[in-house]
Amino acid sequence: MAREIKLNLPPADSLFSTQAERDDAKLERVMNLPLSEMSDFPNHPFKVRMDAEMLEMSESVKQYGVLVPGLARPKEGGGYEVVAGHRRKKASELAGCDTMPFIVRNLTDDEATIIMVDSNLQREKILPSEKAFAYKMKLDAMLRQQGERTDLTSAPLGQRFEGKTSREILAENSPDSHSQIQRYIRLTELTPDLLQMVDNAVAGEKDKPQMAMRPAVELSYLPQEAQRMVFETVVSEECTPSHVQAMKMRKFAVQGKLNEDVVLSIMQEEKPNQAEQFKLPKEKISRFFAPGTSAEKIESDIIKGLELLARQRERQRADAR
Protein backbone atom coordinates (compact mmCIF):
# COMPACT_ATOMS: atom_id res chain seq x y z
CA MET A 1 0.00 0.00 0.00
CA ALA A 2 1.35 3.41 -1.01
CA ARG A 3 2.27 5.63 1.87
CA GLU A 4 1.21 9.33 1.81
CA ILE A 5 4.01 11.76 2.49
CA LYS A 6 3.16 15.34 3.54
CA LEU A 7 5.67 18.04 2.76
CA ASN A 8 5.61 21.56 4.19
CA LEU A 9 6.61 23.50 1.10
CA PRO A 10 7.03 27.30 1.03
CA PRO A 11 4.64 29.39 -1.09
CA ALA A 12 5.39 29.32 -4.81
CA ASP A 13 6.24 33.02 -4.99
CA SER A 14 8.90 32.63 -2.31
CA LEU A 15 10.68 30.05 -4.47
CA PHE A 16 11.41 32.74 -7.02
CA SER A 17 12.44 35.61 -4.71
CA THR A 18 15.43 36.23 -2.51
CA GLN A 19 15.32 36.47 1.29
CA ALA A 20 16.20 40.18 1.03
CA GLU A 21 13.18 40.76 -1.22
CA ARG A 22 10.90 38.88 1.18
CA ASP A 23 12.21 40.90 4.17
CA ASP A 24 11.82 44.14 2.25
CA ALA A 25 8.19 43.31 1.46
CA LYS A 26 7.40 43.23 5.18
CA LEU A 27 8.74 46.73 5.85
CA GLU A 28 6.29 49.54 6.46
CA ARG A 29 6.44 52.41 4.01
CA VAL A 30 5.07 55.91 3.84
CA MET A 31 2.62 55.96 0.95
CA ASN A 32 0.66 58.83 -0.58
CA LEU A 33 -2.84 57.39 -0.53
CA PRO A 34 -5.89 58.84 -2.32
CA LEU A 35 -8.18 60.57 0.19
CA SER A 36 -11.13 59.15 -1.70
CA GLU A 37 -10.07 55.68 -0.54
CA MET A 38 -9.74 56.66 3.13
CA SER A 39 -12.61 56.01 5.57
CA ASP A 40 -12.82 57.19 9.18
CA PHE A 41 -12.32 54.86 12.14
CA PRO A 42 -15.69 53.33 13.18
CA ASN A 43 -17.28 55.21 16.12
CA HIS A 44 -14.32 57.56 16.27
CA PRO A 45 -14.81 59.35 19.62
CA PHE A 46 -12.67 62.40 18.87
CA LYS A 47 -14.47 65.18 17.01
CA VAL A 48 -12.85 66.85 14.04
CA ARG A 49 -13.90 70.46 14.65
CA MET A 50 -13.93 73.24 12.10
CA ASP A 51 -12.22 75.75 14.36
CA ALA A 52 -9.42 78.28 13.99
CA GLU A 53 -6.78 75.58 14.56
CA MET A 54 -8.20 73.53 11.69
CA LEU A 55 -8.02 76.51 9.36
CA GLU A 56 -4.41 77.13 10.42
CA MET A 57 -3.57 73.47 9.82
CA SER A 58 -5.15 73.63 6.38
CA GLU A 59 -3.06 76.69 5.46
CA SER A 60 0.07 74.89 6.69
CA VAL A 61 -0.76 71.87 4.51
CA LYS A 62 -1.15 74.17 1.50
CA GLN A 63 2.33 75.61 2.06
CA TYR A 64 4.35 72.67 3.32
CA GLY A 65 2.22 69.56 2.90
CA VAL A 66 1.54 67.03 5.67
CA LEU A 67 4.81 66.77 7.60
CA VAL A 68 3.81 63.86 9.88
CA PRO A 69 2.23 60.87 8.08
CA GLY A 70 -1.01 59.40 9.38
CA LEU A 71 -1.52 55.72 10.16
CA ALA A 72 -3.96 53.56 8.22
CA ARG A 73 -4.84 49.91 7.84
CA PRO A 74 -6.13 48.10 4.74
CA LYS A 75 -9.83 47.22 4.61
CA GLU A 76 -11.00 43.81 3.49
CA GLY A 77 -13.24 45.20 0.77
CA GLY A 78 -10.61 47.58 -0.54
CA GLY A 79 -9.50 51.03 0.49
CA TYR A 80 -8.07 52.03 3.85
CA GLU A 81 -9.25 52.95 7.33
CA VAL A 82 -7.66 55.89 9.14
CA VAL A 83 -6.29 54.90 12.55
CA ALA A 84 -4.44 58.12 13.35
CA GLY A 85 -4.54 61.38 11.41
CA HIS A 86 -8.23 62.32 11.08
CA ARG A 87 -7.51 66.03 11.59
CA ARG A 88 -4.63 65.93 9.09
CA LYS A 89 -6.95 64.20 6.62
CA LYS A 90 -9.59 66.93 7.03
CA ALA A 91 -6.97 69.66 6.70
CA SER A 92 -5.70 68.03 3.51
CA GLU A 93 -9.21 67.97 2.08
CA LEU A 94 -9.69 71.66 2.92
CA ALA A 95 -6.34 72.42 1.30
CA GLY A 96 -7.57 70.81 -1.92
CA CYS A 97 -5.20 67.82 -1.77
CA ASP A 98 -6.10 64.53 -3.44
CA THR A 99 -3.64 62.42 -1.46
CA MET A 100 -2.01 62.32 1.96
CA PRO A 101 1.01 60.41 3.31
CA PHE A 102 0.11 57.41 5.47
CA ILE A 103 1.98 54.54 7.04
CA VAL A 104 0.02 51.40 6.17
CA ARG A 105 0.00 48.71 8.84
CA ASN A 106 -1.95 45.49 9.24
CA LEU A 107 -3.73 45.79 12.59
CA THR A 108 -6.48 43.90 14.36
CA ASP A 109 -9.54 45.80 15.50
CA ASP A 110 -8.29 45.93 19.08
CA GLU A 111 -4.74 46.94 18.14
CA ALA A 112 -6.12 49.72 15.95
CA THR A 113 -8.46 50.92 18.72
CA ILE A 114 -5.66 51.19 21.28
CA ILE A 115 -3.37 53.08 18.87
CA MET A 116 -6.23 55.38 17.83
CA VAL A 117 -7.00 56.32 21.43
CA ASP A 118 -3.37 56.75 22.50
CA SER A 119 -2.51 58.96 19.53
CA ASN A 120 -5.41 61.33 20.27
CA LEU A 121 -5.10 61.55 24.06
CA GLN A 122 -1.93 63.61 23.62
CA ARG A 123 -3.90 66.53 22.16
CA GLU A 124 -4.19 69.67 24.30
CA LYS A 125 -7.92 70.27 23.94
CA ILE A 126 -10.08 67.21 24.55
CA LEU A 127 -13.72 67.32 25.63
CA PRO A 128 -14.93 65.09 28.49
CA SER A 129 -17.25 63.19 26.13
CA GLU A 130 -14.30 62.41 23.85
CA LYS A 131 -12.21 61.06 26.72
CA ALA A 132 -15.19 59.13 28.09
CA PHE A 133 -15.86 57.08 24.96
CA ALA A 134 -12.17 56.82 24.06
CA TYR A 135 -11.25 55.32 27.44
CA LYS A 136 -14.19 52.95 27.26
CA MET A 137 -13.20 51.79 23.76
CA LYS A 138 -9.58 51.25 24.81
CA LEU A 139 -10.46 49.39 28.00
CA ASP A 140 -12.90 47.23 26.07
CA ALA A 141 -10.16 46.38 23.57
CA MET A 142 -7.67 45.59 26.37
CA LEU A 143 -10.11 43.23 28.03
CA ARG A 144 -10.82 41.44 24.76
CA GLN A 145 -7.09 40.99 24.20
CA GLN A 146 -6.89 39.41 27.65
CA GLY A 147 -9.79 37.12 26.78
CA GLU A 148 -11.97 38.58 29.52
CA ARG A 149 -15.15 40.68 29.53
CA THR A 150 -16.91 42.72 32.16
CA ASP A 151 -19.36 45.58 32.59
CA LEU A 152 -16.98 48.42 31.86
CA THR A 153 -19.04 51.04 33.67
CA SER A 154 -19.61 49.19 36.93
CA ALA A 155 -17.51 49.94 39.96
CA PRO A 156 -14.93 48.78 40.60
CA LEU A 157 -13.24 47.63 37.41
CA GLY A 158 -11.33 44.84 39.03
CA GLN A 159 -9.92 42.44 36.43
CA ARG A 160 -6.29 41.84 37.29
CA PHE A 161 -3.52 41.41 34.74
CA GLU A 162 -0.19 40.43 36.28
CA GLY A 163 -1.13 41.87 39.66
CA LYS A 164 -2.61 45.14 38.33
CA THR A 165 -6.21 46.15 37.76
CA SER A 166 -7.37 46.98 34.26
CA ARG A 167 -7.75 50.64 35.27
CA GLU A 168 -4.15 50.77 36.52
CA ILE A 169 -2.82 49.33 33.28
CA LEU A 170 -4.94 51.76 31.27
CA ALA A 171 -3.68 54.70 33.36
CA GLU A 172 0.01 53.82 32.87
CA ASN A 173 0.11 55.40 29.39
CA SER A 174 -2.71 57.89 29.90
CA PRO A 175 -2.73 61.51 31.13
CA ASP A 176 -5.35 60.68 33.81
CA SER A 177 -5.25 58.58 36.98
CA HIS A 178 -7.14 55.28 37.09
CA SER A 179 -9.82 56.78 39.37
CA GLN A 180 -10.30 59.71 37.00
CA ILE A 181 -10.53 57.29 34.09
CA GLN A 182 -13.31 55.49 35.97
CA ARG A 183 -15.18 58.80 36.27
CA TYR A 184 -14.79 59.51 32.57
CA ILE A 185 -16.12 56.08 31.65
CA ARG A 186 -19.16 56.69 33.88
CA LEU A 187 -20.00 59.72 31.71
CA THR A 188 -20.86 57.37 28.84
CA GLU A 189 -23.98 56.46 30.83
CA LEU A 190 -25.31 60.04 30.65
CA THR A 191 -28.00 61.10 28.20
CA PRO A 192 -26.60 63.19 25.31
CA ASP A 193 -28.13 66.38 26.74
CA LEU A 194 -26.48 66.00 30.15
CA LEU A 195 -23.17 64.93 28.60
CA GLN A 196 -23.24 68.03 26.41
CA MET A 197 -23.54 70.14 29.59
CA VAL A 198 -20.24 68.66 30.83
CA ASP A 199 -18.61 69.47 27.47
CA ASN A 200 -20.01 73.02 27.64
CA ALA A 201 -18.31 73.58 30.99
CA VAL A 202 -14.90 72.59 29.63
CA ALA A 203 -15.37 74.40 26.31
CA GLY A 204 -16.43 77.57 28.14
CA GLU A 205 -19.84 77.82 26.47
CA LYS A 206 -21.19 80.57 28.74
CA ASP A 207 -24.57 80.90 27.02
CA LYS A 208 -25.32 77.18 27.32
CA PRO A 209 -26.14 75.03 30.39
CA GLN A 210 -23.01 73.69 32.06
CA MET A 211 -22.30 70.98 34.62
CA ALA A 212 -19.18 69.99 36.53
CA MET A 213 -17.67 66.50 36.47
CA ARG A 214 -18.58 65.35 39.99
CA PRO A 215 -22.36 65.94 39.83
CA ALA A 216 -22.35 64.49 36.30
CA VAL A 217 -20.82 61.24 37.58
CA GLU A 218 -23.52 61.00 40.27
CA LEU A 219 -26.29 61.59 37.73
CA SER A 220 -24.86 58.88 35.47
CA TYR A 221 -26.24 56.31 37.94
CA LEU A 222 -29.82 57.53 37.41
CA PRO A 223 -32.11 55.73 34.96
CA GLN A 224 -32.36 57.41 31.56
CA GLU A 225 -35.90 58.68 32.23
CA ALA A 226 -34.77 60.27 35.49
CA GLN A 227 -31.87 61.93 33.68
CA ARG A 228 -34.32 63.40 31.17
CA MET A 229 -36.34 64.83 34.07
CA VAL A 230 -33.21 66.44 35.46
CA PHE A 231 -32.35 68.05 32.13
CA GLU A 232 -35.90 69.36 31.65
CA THR A 233 -35.67 70.94 35.10
CA VAL A 234 -32.30 72.46 34.25
CA VAL A 235 -33.85 74.12 31.20
CA SER A 236 -37.09 75.25 32.87
CA GLU A 237 -35.48 76.52 36.09
CA GLU A 238 -32.27 77.76 34.45
CA CYS A 239 -30.17 76.12 37.14
CA THR A 240 -27.53 73.39 37.37
CA PRO A 241 -27.34 70.62 39.99
CA SER A 242 -24.52 70.78 42.51
CA HIS A 243 -22.62 67.70 43.65
CA VAL A 244 -24.71 67.53 46.84
CA GLN A 245 -27.96 67.86 44.90
CA ALA A 246 -26.90 65.16 42.45
CA MET A 247 -26.11 62.81 45.35
CA LYS A 248 -29.56 63.48 46.83
CA MET A 249 -31.24 62.60 43.54
CA ARG A 250 -29.20 59.42 43.28
CA LYS A 251 -30.25 58.46 46.82
CA PHE A 252 -33.93 59.06 46.05
CA ALA A 253 -33.59 57.04 42.84
CA VAL A 254 -32.16 54.06 44.74
CA GLN A 255 -35.16 54.24 47.07
CA GLY A 256 -37.53 54.40 44.10
CA LYS A 257 -38.80 57.83 45.19
CA LEU A 258 -37.36 60.10 42.52
CA ASN A 259 -40.01 61.89 40.44
CA GLU A 260 -40.48 65.28 38.79
CA ASP A 261 -41.59 66.96 42.03
CA VAL A 262 -38.62 65.63 43.98
CA VAL A 263 -36.19 66.69 41.23
CA LEU A 264 -37.71 70.19 41.19
CA SER A 265 -37.63 70.47 44.98
CA ILE A 266 -33.96 69.46 45.13
CA MET A 267 -32.97 71.75 42.27
CA GLN A 268 -34.68 74.73 43.92
CA GLU A 269 -32.58 74.40 47.05
CA GLU A 270 -30.21 77.31 47.47
CA LYS A 271 -26.58 76.47 46.81
CA PRO A 272 -23.90 78.04 49.03
CA ASN A 273 -22.30 79.75 46.04
CA GLN A 274 -25.64 81.15 44.92
CA ALA A 275 -26.55 82.91 48.19
CA GLU A 276 -27.04 86.63 47.62
CA GLN A 277 -23.92 88.61 48.44
CA PHE A 278 -23.24 92.30 48.92
CA LYS A 279 -19.91 93.66 47.73
CA LEU A 280 -18.16 96.90 48.66
CA PRO A 281 -15.55 98.53 46.43
CA LYS A 282 -12.17 98.20 48.15
CA GLU A 283 -11.23 101.84 47.54
CA LYS A 284 -14.22 102.99 49.60
CA ILE A 285 -13.21 101.13 52.77
CA SER A 286 -9.42 100.81 52.50
CA ARG A 287 -8.84 104.05 54.49
CA PHE A 288 -10.39 102.44 57.55
CA PHE A 289 -7.92 99.53 57.63
CA ALA A 290 -4.17 99.16 57.84
CA PRO A 291 -2.42 97.94 54.68
CA GLY A 292 -2.27 94.15 54.51
CA THR A 293 -5.39 93.57 56.64
CA SER A 294 -6.93 90.23 55.66
CA ALA A 295 -10.36 90.00 54.05
CA GLU A 296 -11.60 87.96 57.03
CA LYS A 297 -10.51 90.70 59.47
CA ILE A 298 -12.13 93.42 57.34
CA GLU A 299 -15.39 91.47 57.18
CA SER A 300 -15.37 90.86 60.94
CA ASP A 301 -14.74 94.53 61.78
CA ILE A 302 -17.48 95.72 59.40
CA ILE A 303 -20.02 93.38 60.99
CA LYS A 304 -19.01 94.53 64.49
CA GLY A 305 -19.33 98.15 63.39
CA LEU A 306 -22.80 97.54 61.95
CA GLU A 307 -23.88 95.77 65.15
CA LEU A 308 -22.67 98.78 67.20
CA LEU A 309 -24.53 101.16 64.86
CA ALA A 310 -27.70 99.11 65.18
CA ARG A 311 -27.53 99.28 69.03
CA GLN A 312 -26.99 103.05 68.93
CA ARG A 313 -30.04 103.52 66.69
CA GLU A 314 -32.12 101.33 68.98
CA ARG A 315 -31.14 103.50 71.98
CA GLN A 316 -31.97 106.68 70.06
CA ARG A 317 -35.43 105.33 69.21
CA ALA A 318 -35.96 104.36 72.87
CA ASP A 319 -34.95 107.87 74.05
CA ALA A 320 -37.29 109.46 71.52
CA ARG A 321 -40.22 107.55 72.95
Side-chain angles (χ1 to χ4, degrees):
M1 182 176 177
R3 199 165 144 200
E4 183 180 358
I5 300 176
K6 295 182 179 181
L7 299 175
N8 293 321
L9 296 176
D13 58 352
S14 68
L15 297 175
F16 302 98
S17 62
T18 66
Q19 183 62 45
E21 290 173 331
R22 292 194 293 273
D23 291 340
D24 185 60
K26 296 178 183 179
L27 296 177
E28 294 179 348
R29 291 181 175 82
V30 176
M31 303 171 60
N32 281 312
L33 300 178
L35 294 178
S36 59
E37 296 183 14
M38 310 304 298
S39 60
D40 292 338
F41 197 89
N43 301 315
H44 191 254
F46 298 95
K47 301 172 184 176
V48 178
R49 288 181 283 275
M50 283 298 302
D51 50 18
E53 291 183 7
M54 175 58 69
L55 296 178
E56 289 178 7
M57 184 182 295
S58 175
E59 288 300 317
S60 175
V61 171
K62 284 182 182 179
Q63 294 184 44
Y64 310 109
V66 175
L67 302 180
V68 180
L71 177 65
R73 63 173 182 163
K75 295 175 64 177
E76 288 186 7
Y80 301 88
E81 185 177 276
V82 179
V83 177
H86 290 78
R87 285 174 54 80
R88 279 163 280 172
K89 172 176 171 286
K90 183 63 177 178
S92 297
E93 291 172 345
L94 293 174
C97 302
D98 296 323
T99 63
M100 176 181 149
F102 282 93
I103 296 173
V104 178
R105 184 181 302 172
N106 289 311
L107 297 167
T108 66
D109 290 345
D110 293 334
E111 289 171 342
T113 296
I114 292 172
I115 292 174
M116 179 273 296
V117 172
D118 287 346
S119 64
N120 281 278
L121 283 177
Q122 309 308 317
R123 284 161 43 187
E124 291 184 5
K125 297 179 181 179
I126 307 177
L127 295 175
S129 62
E130 295 175 324
K131 278 193 175 185
F133 287 100
Y135 279 135
K136 184 173 181 178
M137 289 178 69
K138 181 177 178 180
L139 185 56
D140 199 358
M142 289 170 57
L143 293 171
R144 280 196 300 266
Q145 286 185 330
Q146 294 292 332
E148 299 187 53
R149 295 287 302 166
T150 187
D151 174 8
L152 301 181
T153 56
S154 63
L157 295 173
Q159 281 67 24
R160 291 192 168 272
F161 309 135
E162 299 180 357
K164 296 182 180 179
T165 66
S166 51
R167 282 182 300 169
E168 290 170 341
I169 293 176
L170 179 56
E172 286 180 351
N173 297 312
S174 302
D176 298 294
S177 66
H178 62 86
S179 58
Q180 185 70 354
I181 287 172
Q182 172 72 10
R183 296 187 189 100
Y184 276 117
I185 293 177
R186 279 301 321 172
L187 296 183
T188 63
E189 297 297 314
L190 288 174
T191 60
D193 288 329
L194 291 181
L195 183 55
Q196 184 62 53
M197 289 175 59
V198 185
D199 280 350
N200 291 343
V202 173
E205 299 285 354
K206 296 181 180 180
D207 297 330
K208 297 179 181 178
Q210 302 179 8
M211 182 164 53
M213 182 84 158
R214 294 180 70 189
V217 170
E218 293 294 332
L219 294 180
S220 73
Y221 290 94
L222 300 184
Q224 296 283 295
E225 181 58 34
Q227 292 188 37
R228 282 189 283 272
M229 287 191 298
V230 172
F231 181 73
E232 289 172 1
T233 306
V234 166
V235 174
S236 63
E237 297 298 311
E238 296 184 351
C239 59
T240 304
S242 66
H243 186 216
V244 172
Q245 290 172 333
M247 288 192 296
K248 283 185 179 181
M249 284 186 267
R250 180 181 175 184
K251 182 177 179 180
F252 275 98
V254 170
Q255 296 172 349
K257 298 178 180 179
L258 190 66
N259 55 41
E260 292 180 0
D261 293 335
V262 172
V263 170
L264 180 60
S265 176
I266 293 174
M267 293 281 283
Q268 287 179 335
E269 295 174 355
E270 185 177 73
K271 304 181 184 70
N273 63 346
Q274 291 178 336
E276 187 175 354
Q277 297 183 0
F278 182 79
K279 296 183 179 180
L280 285 172
K282 187 176 181 181
E283 59 271 15
K284 289 188 176 182
I285 60 174
S286 59
R287 64 191 180 93
F288 299 106
F289 300 93
T293 304
S294 67
E296 292 79 7
K297 174 63 174 173
I298 292 174
E299 180 181 337
S300 175
D301 287 354
I302 289 175
I303 292 174
K304 289 177 180 177
L306 291 173
E307 290 173 346
L308 178 60
L309 179 60
R311 288 196 294 270
Q312 289 176 345
R313 287 176 176 175
E314 184 63 31
R315 284 196 297 268
Q316 290 172 356
R317 284 194 292 268
D319 293 342
R321 291 195 294 267

